[in-house]
Amino acid sequence: TITGDTATTVIDNLREARQNESIEAVVLDINSPGGTAAASEQLYLAVKRTQQEMPVVTSVTGLAASGGYYMAAPSSHILVTPASTVGSVGVRATIPPDGIPAGEVVTGPDKGSTATDAEVRQRVESLRRAFVGSVVDERNESLTLDAAELSYAKVYSGASGVELGLADEVGGVDAAIQDAANRAGLTGYDVVRMESPQPSTLSQLGLNTESSGTTVQ
């Protein structure tokens, strides 16, 4: 799941890739259902910046949905397996409760309240447009779905994802590594795998340490 903690680890690894002269290409091995909007956006920007400096190829052998797909979108190439899952291009948020909880004292009417119902809906719509617009921009040459169809936020099998242009071809991690090497013009190379970031203890208990209740879903 994408949280501030897990995203920070990946963002740091991508920064290392850009700064390390011995690294010529990156393969993202994504298996994520998505997560918070802010963290997903930061991952998208980090992948996009890295892709501008070197090939970034994504391998999806499990799940790249919602924010997981958001971060994959800027990749040079996306490989999937027939049974993997991609898509869910959309946003979900929780409407905050009305009023101030009993027994709580605040210094202003909006203190402790994230937003009104209307403000949450406006923010979700803004995030939806940004998410859908980014996917359309990144996948424009191959995407057969239009913005309205993407906004349904459906999930697709890997095979269907290739047909619809959400992914480029069927293949596993090894194929993704070879593709990245070819794009970087490498014939002899070593592969270094960075371990997947682990969720914090609070995340494992189902507690969210971040202030925003908006998730890219």
Side-chain angles (χ1 to χ4, degrees), residues 124-145:
V124 166
E125 176 58 20
S126 177
L127 289 170
R128 182 199 65 80
R129 289 197 301 266
F131 188 4
V132 171
S134 295
V135 172
V136 170
D137 288 343
E138 302 294 350
R139 304 291 305 172
N140 62 343
E141 294 184 0
S142 57
L143 194 63
T144 63
L145 298 170

Side-chain angles (χ1 to χ4, degrees), residues 54 82 175-176 180 202 207 211:
M54 66 183 68
L202 288 178
L207 302 176
S211 59

